[in-house]
Amino acid sequence: MKLRQKVIFLAITPLILALCAIALAVRHQANVLAQQQRDTIQQAYLASKEAELEHYVTLATHSISRLYKAGVKDQASMDEAKRILGSLSFGDDGYFFIYDLKGNSLMHPRQPELVGQNLWELKDQNGTPTIQRLLKRAQSGGGYERYYWVKPSSHKPAPKLGYVILLKDWGWMLGTGIYLDDVDRALEKVDTQQRANIQNTMLWITGIAIMAALVVAGAGVALNISELRVADAKLKALAQRVVESQEEERARLSRDLHDGISQWLVSIKLQIEAGIIRLGHVQARPDQCAAAQGVFEHAAEQLNNVLGEVRRISHNLRPALLDDLGLAAALSHLAEEFRLSSEVPIDFSAEGSTEDLPEVANTVLFRIAQEALTNIERHAGASHIDIRLTGAERAVTLRISDNGHGFDADGIAVHPKRGIGLRNMMERMEAIGGQFSISSSSAGTVLLAHVSNEG
């Protein structure tokens, strides 16, 4: 996976995970809220039905109140009461029923075949003795009881909520009830609507997540394209600068060889030939011997100059002191050469040991010093330079400061066509895992290069 893809992946992944966490939290809270709402609706619905049943039974007792007289057990009045109660109904499945205290069915308008039967041992599909529980509830003061009973409209057992009271003087249990499957259907409708709302919310969150991921991915791609263009421009400028630096170095070496070493060698060759000619005529003219000696002495002096020039060129390419005596000696020699060539006062000091520093780190610090002095000479206009090399137990620090007019370090570092030398120093330090910093103001510039001597 490329770096650009990793960046986009690392940007999108936390966003997707956060949205998934939000979706799970919203779904959980929605389910909890839906369950609470269902329970509230169920309780309110059942409470209204319970109140309704109680009102129905109250109306039923009022309808037979003139017939029901305390302490009087008149058969005609009881039959009339059965007729009145049997005619009362509310809906297809709403009716009243009467049982005696032994479990005999005395009136059942929707199931007349049960009248006259003893249902004391009747049990519902759960094995619960239905009539016994209803009678017990009535004898305990009346109230509500849940059980299963055959629904007249469907002819199938359904859950039912009954309300019964005791007519003690006649020995009756009067009651009515509602079938709860209607309640269950109403609650199921509420559940369906809530599930649809939760699903729509999840779809919205999914859509938002997809859009957000696409926006982040698009922004990442656009940013990568922009950064890639900038990087390409910097790379092209760097490549051009490398080519130019190579050409400049070749031209400098060519000039040094042509203007210095080549001319000296030609001069030495001519002087040696002249000396040979003079020596050939020594016997004829003895005074030529002294002249020949002077020619050879001058040739030897010029050979020394040639050797010095060769050493200078070699030192610029890679100083032998760096390999033979170490970084401190090489930097001291570099500072002395810079002082002689630029006539700018320069102080060099070395503290601690740098012997354990790897060879590649020695080279990097030396090249950084070379580049820094070159930049100071070309651009800083400094009147004093200070170089300090500090070796600690596990690290070496090179500090180069000047009192020049300074520059915009941050702006130069990101400029595509300037600051090539500064970026070269940074990249050299990054390559060996070192730390590089530079601060500049109108009071001068301070460069710090810190590298560990363990690598």
Side-chain angles (χ1 to χ4, degrees):
M1 185 181 293
K2 296 181 179 180
L3 179 59
R4 295 191 301 273
Q5 297 171 342
K6 290 181 180 179
V7 171
I8 296 176
F9 177 78
L10 291 176
I12 293 177
T13 300
L15 175 64
I16 297 299
L17 292 177
L19 290 175
C20 289
I22 292 173
L24 291 176
V26 170
R27 184 180 183 86
H28 173 72
Q29 293 297 326
N31 288 330
V32 172
L33 181 61
Q35 185 61 41
Q36 293 175 348
Q37 184 179 4
R38 187 183 191 278
D39 295 339
T40 302
I41 293 174
Q42 184 179 23
Q43 292 174 1
Y45 195 74
L46 289 177
S48 67
K49 291 300 181 183
E50 289 175 354
E52 185 179 351
L53 287 177
E54 187 174 353
H55 292 160
Y56 286 153
V57 172
T58 301
L59 290 174
T61 56
H62 287 171
S63 67
I64 62 171
S65 61
R66 64 183 180 82
L67 301 173
Y68 181 74
K69 296 179 181 179
V72 179
K73 199 171 184 180
D74 183 15
Q75 187 62 42
S77 297
M78 296 170 64
D79 291 340
E80 179 63 16
K82 290 179 184 179
R83 186 191 65 77
I84 293 174
L85 293 173
S87 64
L88 297 176
S89 64
F90 46 94
D92 295 335
D93 299 316
Y95 56 88
F96 293 92
F97 55 83
I98 301 174
Y99 288 86
D100 63 17
L101 301 182
K102 295 181 180 180
N104 294 310
S105 176
L106 301 180
M107 185 200 72
H108 204 297
R110 295 295 188 271
Q111 292 177 289
E113 68 275 6
L114 298 179
V115 177
Q117 295 186 25
N118 186 285
L119 304 179
W120 181 264
E121 299 295 336
L122 179 67
K123 296 180 180 180
D124 62 12
Q125 63 186 29
N126 294 328
T128 304
T130 305
I131 303 303
Q132 293 181 30
R133 291 181 58 186
L134 289 173
L135 287 170
K136 183 177 180 181
R137 177 66 65 182
Q139 291 173 346
S140 63
Y144 303 97
E145 193 69 35
R146 293 195 181 198
Y147 58 94
Y148 277 85
W149 197 266
V150 175
K151 189 175 183 180
S153 59
S154 64
H155 304 288
K156 295 180 180 179
K160 187 175 183 179
L161 176 65
Y163 182 80
V164 293
I165 62 171
L166 181 64
L167 300 178
K168 186 177 181 181
D169 292 340
W170 287 359
W172 284 3
M173 178 185 67
L174 173 64
T176 187
I178 58 171
Y179 290 92
L180 298 178
D181 55 344
D182 294 337
V183 178
D184 293 338
R185 281 196 296 270
L187 294 175
E188 181 62 29
K189 184 177 180 180
V190 172
D191 292 340
T192 301
Q193 292 176 348
Q194 290 174 340
R195 285 194 296 269
N197 291 336
I198 293 174
Q199 185 177 3
N200 290 335
T201 302
M202 293 300 102
L203 291 176
W204 273 103
I205 293 177
T206 302
I208 293 173
I210 294 174
M211 290 298 297
L214 291 177
V215 169
V216 172
V221 171
L223 179 62
N224 284 331
I225 292 175
S226 176
E227 291 296 326
L228 185 61
R229 290 176 178 174
V230 174
D232 287 341
K234 290 182 178 180
L235 184 60
K236 290 179 180 178
L238 181 61
Q240 182 65 29
R241 179 58 181 166
V242 169
V243 172
E244 292 175 356
S245 298
Q246 290 177 343
E247 293 300 325
E248 290 176 0
E249 186 66 14
R250 289 173 180 174
R252 186 183 66 80
L253 290 174
S254 176
R255 288 193 301 270
D256 290 342
L257 293 174
H258 181 272
D259 298 340
I261 297 176
S262 178
Q263 292 183 6
W264 277 336
L265 290 176
V266 170
S267 175
I268 292 170
K269 175 179 177 293
L270 295 176
Q271 292 180 39
I272 291 174
E273 290 177 348
I276 292 173
I277 294 173
R278 285 189 175 94
L279 289 176
H281 298 82
V282 170
Q283 294 178 353
R285 299 179 61 183
D287 60 324
Q288 293 294 324
C289 182
Q293 183 178 356
V295 170
F296 283 115
E297 289 176 354
H298 184 65
E301 182 180 354
Q302 288 191 319
L303 280 176
N304 286 330
N305 292 335
V306 170
L307 291 175
E309 185 69 10
V310 170
R311 282 195 297 270
R312 185 185 65 81
I313 296 174
S314 174
H315 181 77
N316 288 335
L317 294 176
R318 180 174 178 83
L321 289 175
L322 189 62
D323 297 325
D324 298 337
L325 300 180
L327 179 62
L331 291 177
S332 176
H333 183 71
L334 177 66
E336 181 63 20
E337 285 190 338
F338 181 85
R339 184 186 65 79
L340 294 175
S341 62
S342 65
E343 296 183 353
V344 176
I346 182 169
D347 293 332
F348 173 78
S349 62
E351 299 177 0
S353 175
T354 61
E355 296 179 356
D356 296 334
L357 199 64
E359 181 179 351
V360 63
N362 281 327
T363 304
V364 167
L365 291 178
F366 181 81
R367 294 305 182 195
I368 287 176
Q370 275 187 319
E371 186 70 32
L373 292 178
T374 300
N375 289 339
I376 292 172
E377 183 179 13
R378 291 179 179 177
H379 310 294
S383 61
H384 184 269
I385 302 172
D386 182 73
I387 301 178
R388 296 180 185 177
L389 181 67
T390 305
E393 182 179 356
R394 296 183 177 180
V396 173
T397 301
L398 174 63
R399 183 181 187 276
I400 302 176
S401 61
D402 66 78
N403 61 351
H405 49 68
F407 65 99
D408 182 7
D410 295 333
I412 293 294
V414 298
H415 197 284
K417 295 184 178 180
R418 300 176 62 188
I420 301 298
L422 182 60
R423 283 194 290 274
N424 285 340
M425 289 189 282
M426 293 180 179
E427 291 172 359
R428 286 177 184 270
M429 290 301 296
E430 289 177 0
I432 62 173
Q435 300 175 3
F436 180 87
S437 65
I438 187 168
S439 60
S440 185
S441 66
S442 58
T445 302
V446 178
L447 180 151
L448 287 175
H450 181 84
V451 62
S452 171
N453 58 14
E454 295 180 342

